[in-house]
Amino acid sequence: MEALPIARLQFATTTSFHFLFVLLTLGLVTMVAVMQTRYAVTGRDVHRRMTRFWGRLYVVNYALGIATGIVMEFQFGLNWSGLSTYAGDIFGAPLAIETLVAFFLESTFLGLWIFGWDRMGRGLHLALIWLVALTAYASAFWIMAANSFLQNPVGAVEENGVLRLTDFSALLTNPTFVSALPHVLSAALLTGGVFLVGVSAYHFLRRSEEVEFFTRSMRLGVVVTLISAPVVFGFGAAQFPAIGELQPDKLEGGGVGLPLGLMVMIGQFFVFASLIALPFLARNRIARARPLLRLMVWGIPLPFVAAICGWLVREIGRQPWLVYGKLTTADAMSDLGAGQVLASFIAFTALFAALAVADWVLMSRLARRGPEPEVPQHAPAAPVLSGV
């Protein structure tokens, strides 16, 4: 038993888990911000209830996703000290900014938003959810900048066996960054849209009395899915020229063929599925299209499957390099024995599995329960997490 394959498997497992939380968080917070904006503009109670219901699901997913992110940070120091030694001056900067944005700014704004219902002015409370969304996107921005540097180490020179940054702007114009970032962000919107559609379809199948509530949620989800699916597809295809130039061997390996094909099929499915669902939104015919509603519920996991496939293509395809062309994965690993790595792998995997199960159990329970009953708007509202 060797330490390196176990460490690689551990990184793949923990990153995959964390990535799934991030996708849904980014997608849902955008939807919640749109819903609250409509409430701020119209003052209609249905938009207020939508904001609270979908916002509660978002907060649960965010809280458990943050826990997985903290473990990811520990993992870099534990298993990959060679990466910190060789490229820490460059790779560490985007990660530090991301940590500052995600763990401090985003969490602070979200906490104020959770406990600010009916305690702040409507405009200030709306600004908070948009600040939460913007800091979430900023976090994704810096993570992708760091990952893109590993894919194509630009703006740096090697001095005394260590990479030194010479051009910060090169990190932000990196060809592996400029097309991958919108691909990931649009995939997050697609995930959020499919989640709204699936949960709304579930309530229609149960013949929910909240017809207006879930019709509006369904419309938003279908429209976002219809817009984001071609964007995901387009920016995915836009990465091939850069891949062909910078990592010409990536697509020749058999390891990326299956996940790449599956990802493309899922993307095409959502383009056509959205076009089919769109006419059914008129006159609320969607609530009576039960075969289509079942398809929408079954479609909830598909964006997550596509995301894992995309991650496999991006990461497996650059092996054996950790910093492409400069530092191999084997050289980046800490001086640890196989038993030590195996112990941390088992512990981290068990923790992540527990967090994932807790996340989906809580979210499933909240989603099945549905929105809060209508209450007069002058009545004091509980924090958005009440009842979890």
Side-chain angles (χ1 to χ4, degrees):
M1 184 172 58
E2 296 182 5
L4 180 59
I6 304 172
R8 289 183 61 195
L9 184 60
Q10 177 178 334
F11 187 81
T13 304
T14 53
T15 305
S16 300
F17 271 117
H18 179 62
F19 191 36
L20 301 182
F21 285 99
V22 171
L23 273 184
L24 187 56
T25 293
L26 278 174
L28 267 183
V29 72
T30 311
M31 312 291 169
V32 172
V34 170
M35 293 169 188
Q36 188 163 355
T37 301
R38 298 181 72 177
Y39 168 60
V41 171
T42 66
R44 294 193 58 183
D45 192 53
V46 65
H47 297 302
R48 178 178 184 273
R49 296 174 66 226
M50 286 172 64
T51 305
R52 290 182 62 83
F53 173 68
W54 295 107
R56 183 174 296 172
L57 291 167
Y58 157 71
V59 170
V60 169
N61 190 70
Y62 171 85
L64 294 173
I66 280 289
T68 64
I70 293 172
V71 176
M72 285 292 300
E73 301 284 341
F74 282 127
Q75 184 180 227
F76 277 116
L78 182 65
N79 286 354
W80 306 107
S81 60
L83 173 64
S84 303
T85 301
Y86 181 69
D89 288 357
I90 306 168
F91 183 70
L95 279 187
I97 297 172
E98 188 274 337
T99 302
L100 179 67
V101 169
F103 293 119
F104 292 98
L105 292 180
E106 186 179 354
S107 301
T108 301
F109 292 140
L110 181 58
L112 291 172
W113 182 79
I114 291 172
F115 294 101
W117 275 95
D118 296 332
R119 294 176 176 85
M120 297 180 178
R122 191 179 294 181
L124 177 58
H125 196 243
L126 173 65
L128 283 173
I129 193 63
W130 278 111
L131 286 172
V132 173
L134 289 174
T135 47
Y137 278 90
S139 175
F141 178 93
W142 290 111
I143 282 290
M144 289 303 298
N147 179 269
S148 298
F149 174 79
L150 301 182
Q151 302 284 338
N152 180 36
V154 294
V157 296
E158 185 173 317
E159 295 178 354
N160 302 320
V162 176
L163 285 182
R164 303 292 185 193
L165 183 66
T166 57
D167 183 3
F168 181 77
S169 64
L171 297 179
L172 308 183
T173 56
N174 193 336
T176 59
F177 173 67
V178 294
S179 56
L181 178 66
H183 179 67
V184 170
L185 296 185
S186 53
L189 288 175
L190 173 68
T191 304
V194 171
F195 186 76
L196 254 69
V197 168
V199 173
S200 301
Y202 170 79
H203 281 275
F204 282 132
L205 286 171
R206 293 179 60 190
R207 304 185 189 283
S208 168
E209 295 180 356
E210 296 277 1
V211 175
E212 182 185 9
F213 184 100
F214 286 110
T215 298
R216 290 184 177 277
S217 299
M218 173 77 77
R219 285 175 181 166
L220 178 60
V222 169
V223 170
V224 170
T225 303
L226 182 61
I227 294 172
S228 59
V231 177
V232 175
F233 206 81
F235 278 106
Q239 296 179 66
F240 284 100
I243 291 173
E245 179 182 352
L246 301 171
Q247 297 181 1
D249 298 333
K250 171 174 280 191
L251 302 180
E252 294 179 0
V256 302
L258 178 61
L260 179 61
L262 188 56
M263 180 173 54
V264 171
M265 288 175 58
I266 292 174
Q268 291 173 330
F269 167 79
F270 280 117
V271 173
F272 291 113
S274 303
L275 291 172
I276 293 172
L278 197 60
F280 284 89
L281 296 179
R283 299 181 180 179
N284 201 29
R285 288 188 295 164
I286 193 74
R288 300 184 293 276
R290 299 184 72 80
L292 186 57
L293 293 174
R294 293 191 184 91
L295 189 65
M296 290 172 168
V297 175
W298 295 339
I300 291 177
L302 290 182
F304 299 103
V305 174
I308 294 297
C309 290
W311 183 83
L312 290 174
V313 171
R314 188 168 174 87
E315 299 303 313
I316 288 179
R318 68 178 160 116
Q319 291 299 317
W321 301 104
L322 189 53
V323 181
Y324 194 78
K326 295 184 177 299
L327 179 69
T328 65
T329 305
D331 290 336
M333 192 180 163
S334 305
D335 185 18
L336 296 172
Q340 294 170 297
V341 181
L342 181 62
S344 65
F345 171 59
I346 293 172
F348 283 176
T349 302
L351 175 61
F352 273 56
L355 289 171
V357 170
D359 183 54
W360 283 101
V361 167
L362 282 172
M363 293 189 69
S364 299
R365 182 180 299 172
L366 290 172
R368 285 197 302 269
R369 186 186 303 169
E372 299 171 336
E374 293 186 42
V375 294
Q377 292 193 29
H378 62 269
V384 74
L385 276 179
S386 63
V388 175

